[in-house]
Amino acid sequence: MPRTEFIATAYHVPERVVTNDDLAQLMDTSDEWIVQRSGIKTRYWVSDGETGASLASEAAHKALAKAGMRPAELDCIVYCTCTPDHFEPGNGVFLERALGLTDIPAIDVRNQCSGFIYGLSVADAWIRTGQYRRILLVGAEVHSRGLDRSTRGRDTRGSRSSGPRTTPLAASSPRTCMPTGATPRTCGWTRPDWRTTRTSVKS
């Protein structure tokens, strides 16, 4: 049975940095008040024209470059978010279009804070069953547009930010599982060629 391997990871954040002092101009709060409760001094907010899908596209290109992969080598996209740009269709298809793709499945997983873990479980199951070999897993949120910017919302406004993280996952073929302290060589780990032709899946 194939195993799932993390090939690379990447993230991208908006350019706009918002400090605690900036928030103090919008609500009854202070740098000291926020730091004491969260340890946070800055966060990232989206600007006009930026969306969850556009941020995810930037992170995806970075992750694919690290992995030495092209978007066309992906078999599937799993996009995890609780702040989609649209109620429907999901952000996954907008990311697919941004990557220049048109013919692979792209699903959204909307399980709030644990969404990335649920998405990883889905991607891992698909790889283990052989349905797909290369999956782009994305977790992206744009909280900065949807929270109360008045004093009433200061308990959550100070700790919320925006930005995605992505990781390409791929099938590998270990002959044995890797025990603690072992190395890929001693366990016969075979790293696959990510550039092989995509396997078609027939229904």
Side-chain angles (χ1 to χ4, degrees), residues 18-36:
V18 178
T19 67
N20 293 343
D21 291 333
D22 292 331
L23 291 183
Q25 303 300 313
L26 302 174
M27 61 185 72
D28 181 15
T29 190
S30 66
D31 177 69
E32 181 183 13
W33 192 92
I34 296 173
V35 170
Q36 283 180 346

Side-chain angles (χ1 to χ4, degrees), residues 46-51 85 142-147 149 157 162:
V46 293
S47 301
D48 291 342
E50 289 182 312
T51 65
D85 300 328
V142 178
H143 286 297
S144 52
R145 284 202 180 107
L147 296 177
R149 299 191 184 190
R157 171 56 64 183
S162 299

Side-chain angles (χ1 to χ4, degrees), residues 29 37 47 77 81 90 104 107 113 124 151 158 165 176:
T29 190
R37 289 159 176 79
S47 301
I77 295 172
T81 184
I104 65 171
I107 69 165
C113 297
D124 178 57
T151 300
R165 67 273 190 201
T176 61

Side-chain angles (χ1 to χ4, degrees), residues 12-14 46 50-60 140-142 162-164 166:
H12 182 77
V13 293
V46 293
E50 289 182 312
T51 65
S54 68
L55 295 174
S57 176
E58 295 289 340
E141 303 296 350
V142 178
S162 299
T166 64

Side-chain angles (χ1 to χ4, degrees), residues 7-123:
I7 307 306
T9 60
Y11 70 93
H12 182 77
V13 293
E15 291 185 5
R16 183 183 177 189
V17 178
V18 178
T19 67
N20 293 343
D21 291 333
D22 292 331
L23 291 183
Q25 303 300 313
L26 302 174
M27 61 185 72
D28 181 15
T29 190
S30 66
D31 177 69
E32 181 183 13
W33 192 92
I34 296 173
V35 170
Q36 283 180 346
R37 289 159 176 79
S38 68
I40 296 171
K41 297 188 73 67
T42 60
R43 74 280 302 140
Y44 296 91
W45 285 7
V46 293
S47 301
D48 291 342
E50 289 182 312
T51 65
S54 68
L55 295 174
S57 176
E58 295 289 340
H61 280 295
K62 293 177 182 178
L64 290 171
K66 284 184 179 181
M69 296 173 61
R70 295 175 292 107
E73 296 174 85
L74 294 171
D75 298 324
C76 180
I77 295 172
V78 178
Y79 192 119
C80 311
T81 184
C82 67
T83 55
D85 300 328
H86 309 274
F87 180 74
E88 59 178 334
N91 272 26
V93 297
F94 290 100
L95 175 58
E96 179 180 356
R97 182 174 65 181
L99 294 175
L101 305 173
T102 60
D103 61 348
I104 65 171
I107 69 165
D108 276 29
V109 175
R110 298 182 184 174
N111 285 87
Q112 313 332 100
C113 297
S114 58
F116 195 80
I117 302 301
Y118 279 92
L120 177 59
S121 179
V122 170

